[in-house]
Amino acid sequence: MPTTNYPAEPYKIKVVEPIAMTTRQEREQYLKDAGYNTFLINSEQCYIDLLTDSGTTAMSDYQWAGMMLGDEAYAGSKNFLHLQQVVREYYGFKHIIPTHQGRGAENLLSRLCIKPGDYVPGNMYFTTTRAHQELNGATFVDIIIDEAHDAQKDHPFKGNVDLNKLQKLIAEVGAERIPYVCVAVTVNLAGGQPVSMENLRAVKQLCEKHGIQVMLDATRCVENAYFIKEREAACADMSIRAILKQMMSYADGCTMSGKKDCLVNIGGFLCMNDDELYQRASELVVLFEGMPSYGGMAGRDMEAMARGIEESVDFHYIEHRVAQCRYLADKLEAAGVPIVRPVGGHAVFLDARAFLDHLPQDEFPAQTLAAHLYLESGVRSMERGIVSAGRNKQTGDHHRPKLELVRLTIPRRVYTYAHLDVVAQSCIDLYQRRGSITGMKMVYEPAFLRFFTARFEPLPVSAKAPSAQPAEELATA
């Protein structure tokens, strides 16, 4: 019998997809061929794929039915008009520019708003977001509360902006050099941590005082709304839909990867209220994406996204999603496996720094742990630590984040509690013999977003890892 803490799936299974059952010997070869980078392992070589929740959603029959109504007109598609209407109704923004996915929206926003020498404050970096900001000449400044950098600190809203840090930055560089504040709801790299409604309101008030825009990374905004309902007394009696709408009212716009909380496999959008910014975005999107009324998405995908937005605010859906994360986390914590607390809404994050506390950070403990978890069980996960953080562009040295994590990301409406039992046992077995695990060295490093395509090799038991050379240095070495 399911307990009240772990509600049963609010759906029934209509179609099934076989998944791979591999041997340890096979996985050893697959891992070696992939350069010990889980991003480079083929999907068909994975048993339970927890690499990401981006685009891995199982769509509903309602969404699939909408796909058959795709209007693939080059301009003025009826599916765009439906998506526009739904975004206005559920999010409240005046204008929407569809993009092929979230980073298309990040690219447009960065190109439209950033000048060389600008500063973009945000509540912890995200990889592609910061890359777009830096490529357009900005410096990212972390203004998240200090508690977010402590994996074991229990705080209900670890995603909150530190208003003192934001005010200090404004005083130091001037409001005119801050094109917008980027607030992620929730904060992925902190462990899927939410931002409170009170904090969003306070950020908006401070930014309005200085004439600075607030732009949300709304990728997991429904999860954030759920945590607000659960943890913020003033919002306890509000619906998820009402909380979401109020959250968005404290922003001037947002970027959205529809591959998460919009419950689709591809697509995204950029929203704003400013008419002049919308006009400029409508011109720029033609260069990088497509017409302003499709922007890199097919009509059928826009229809599925509009319907996914409607489904995403159903309380039973989001309650079950968060419960799956808690189910896995509770099993790991009961066995003493170190994880980030409190648990977020899209993943459980293993604390690789504590899990492999015998490895220095320059031996890539999170990358090592992700590789060994795949070797152990065929469960694919993702590094979120020193590899993802990249290098300081001034010094060339690694960024060394305090959080060294492995993300066990749960796709929406895909796996059951039984699958999570397998994941938990694999992590527990690995933790019990963690002392025998050696670190890695990086043998290939791309110039940008290295975690996607970098390659590694295991270190001998007694060896120490040299700092890998960036790609441009390798070419001339």
Side-chain angles (χ1 to χ4, degrees):
M1 292 288 291
T3 72
T4 55
N5 292 325
Y6 312 124
E9 288 78 5
Y11 52 83
K12 60 183 180 181
I13 297 168
K14 185 176 290 188
V15 176
V16 296
E17 176 187 350
I19 53 179
M21 307 292 287
T22 59
T23 66
R24 184 183 181 90
Q25 185 177 15
E26 288 172 333
R27 294 193 296 273
E28 285 177 353
Q29 189 60 50
Y30 297 151
L31 198 54
K32 184 177 180 180
D33 292 344
Y36 299 87
N37 185 342
T38 54
F39 277 95
L40 301 179
I41 298 171
N42 294 333
S43 171
E44 62 185 10
Q45 298 166 348
C46 300
Y47 173 43
I48 298 174
D49 196 348
L50 306 186
L51 183 73
T52 182
D53 61 330
S54 179
T56 56
T57 293
M59 293 202 302
S60 69
D61 54 356
Y62 178 59
Q63 289 176 288
W64 279 108
M67 295 277 280
M68 300 305 295
L69 302 177
D71 174 9
E72 308 307 338
Y74 191 75
S77 163
K78 67 181 182 182
N79 307 120
F80 166 73
L81 297 177
H82 185 201
L83 177 60
Q84 181 184 62
Q85 175 260 320
V86 168
V87 168
R88 287 173 175 172
E89 181 180 348
Y90 284 76
Y91 293 177
F93 295 117
K94 184 177 180 181
H95 302 296
I96 172 176
I97 300 285
T99 57
H100 72 283
Q101 61 182 65
R103 66 195 60 172
E106 293 171 349
N107 177 46
L108 291 177
L109 180 63
S110 299
R111 286 176 175 271
L112 288 166
C113 295
I114 291 173
K115 306 182 304 295
D118 280 349
Y119 294 82
V120 179
N123 54 340
M124 197 172 284
Y125 82 97
F126 184 67
T127 50
T128 60
T129 312
R130 187 178 69 184
H132 283 299
Q133 292 164 355
E134 292 178 345
L135 285 170
N136 283 279
T139 298
F140 168 79
V141 181
D142 189 0
I143 56 168
I144 203 167
I145 60 174
D146 291 340
E147 289 87 342
H149 295 283
D150 184 343
Q152 301 308 315
K153 188 76 172 181
D154 199 357
H155 186 290
F157 292 103
K158 289 170 82 170
N160 279 356
V161 169
D162 187 319
L163 297 174
N164 291 327
K165 291 180 182 178
L166 177 55
Q167 183 63 70
K168 181 182 177 183
L169 179 66
I170 294 170
E172 288 178 352
V173 306
E176 68 280 359
R177 297 182 68 187
I178 302 176
Y180 58 90
V181 176
C182 183
V183 182
V185 287
T186 58
V187 183
N188 188 353
L189 293 182
Q193 302 299 327
V195 183
S196 72
M197 191 77 82
E198 180 183 17
N199 188 249
L200 287 170
R201 186 184 302 113
V203 170
K204 179 60 174 171
Q205 290 171 348
L206 177 58
C207 288
E208 279 187 337
K209 178 181 175 182
H210 294 279
I212 301 171
Q213 292 193 102
V214 176
M215 291 290 181
L216 300 183
D217 176 348
T219 294
R220 297 182 178 89
C221 55
V222 178
E223 294 169 12
N224 201 99
Y226 179 85
F227 287 125
I228 286 176
K229 180 176 177 63
E230 182 183 60
R231 300 175 185 175
E232 205 161 354
C235 301
D237 295 328
M238 296 173 64
S239 67
I240 299 296
R241 178 173 175 175
I243 292 171
L244 179 63
K245 187 78 168 283
Q246 186 174 329
M247 284 169 51
M248 298 299 172
S249 74
Y250 299 128
D252 298 285
C254 75
T255 59
M256 169 60 84
S257 171
K259 298 166 68 177
K260 286 86 167 177
D261 271 358
C262 294
L263 304 179
V264 291
N265 306 126
I266 197 66
F269 52 79
L270 171 65
C271 285
M272 70 284 289
N273 291 324
D274 183 83
D275 294 338
E276 188 270 337
L277 182 59
Y278 171 68
Q279 186 59 46
R280 293 170 55 216
S282 297
E283 297 167 3
L284 191 61
V285 72
V286 177
L287 292 176
F288 292 100
E289 303 277 339
M291 283 287 289
S293 59
Y294 74 88
M297 294 180 68
R300 57 183 175 269
D301 293 320
M302 288 190 284
E303 184 64 30
M305 180 181 286
R307 295 180 179 217
I309 291 172
E310 295 171 355
E311 293 184 344
S312 72
V313 298
D314 175 71
F315 177 79
H316 299 293
Y317 151 71
I318 190 61
E319 178 192 37
H320 172 261
R321 170 153 181 74
V322 174
Q324 282 200 318
C325 293
R326 290 177 176 165
Y327 178 85
L328 176 56
D330 289 348
K331 281 189 166 289
L332 294 175
E333 202 164 38
V337 178
I339 62 172
V340 173
R341 300 295 302 193
V343 178
H346 74 291
V348 175
F349 287 72
L350 300 175
D351 184 354
R353 189 188 290 271
F355 197 116
L356 300 178
D357 58 2
H358 59 290
L359 298 184
Q361 195 170 25
D362 280 14
E363 291 185 12
F364 311 114
Q367 189 73 39
T368 299
L369 179 54
H372 278 268
L373 180 59
Y374 173 77
L375 181 62
E376 173 76 24
S377 60
V379 174
R380 176 159 64 166
S381 59
M382 176 194 294
E383 185 271 358
R384 279 297 183 234
I386 189 172
V387 180
S388 293
R391 290 184 183 269
N392 184 303
K393 62 182 180 181
Q394 275 80 41
T395 67
D397 194 11
H398 297 297
H399 289 297
R400 290 182 172 81
K402 293 181 180 179
L403 296 178
E404 183 74 17
L405 310 175
V406 170
R407 193 179 78 178
L408 305 171
T409 332
I410 301 177
R412 293 162 181 80
R413 305 187 295 202
V414 171
Y415 293 118
T416 67
Y417 291 116
H419 289 107
L420 301 181
D421 288 338
V422 174
V423 176
Q425 192 59 53
S426 301
C427 294
I428 292 166
D429 291 346
L430 202 57
Y431 186 64
Q432 290 173 347
R433 48 186 171 77
R434 61 193 180 278
S436 63
I437 297 174
T438 60
M440 292 188 178
K441 63 178 179 179
M442 194 184 303
V443 295
Y444 166 70
E445 180 178 359
F448 302 105
L449 298 174
R450 63 187 187 178
F451 63 94
F452 282 126
T453 57
R455 300 181 74 87
F456 303 84
E457 287 180 358
L459 284 168
V461 174
S462 61
K464 294 297 180 182
S467 183
Q469 296 172 297
E472 60 267 26
E473 293 179 13
L474 287 172
T476 58

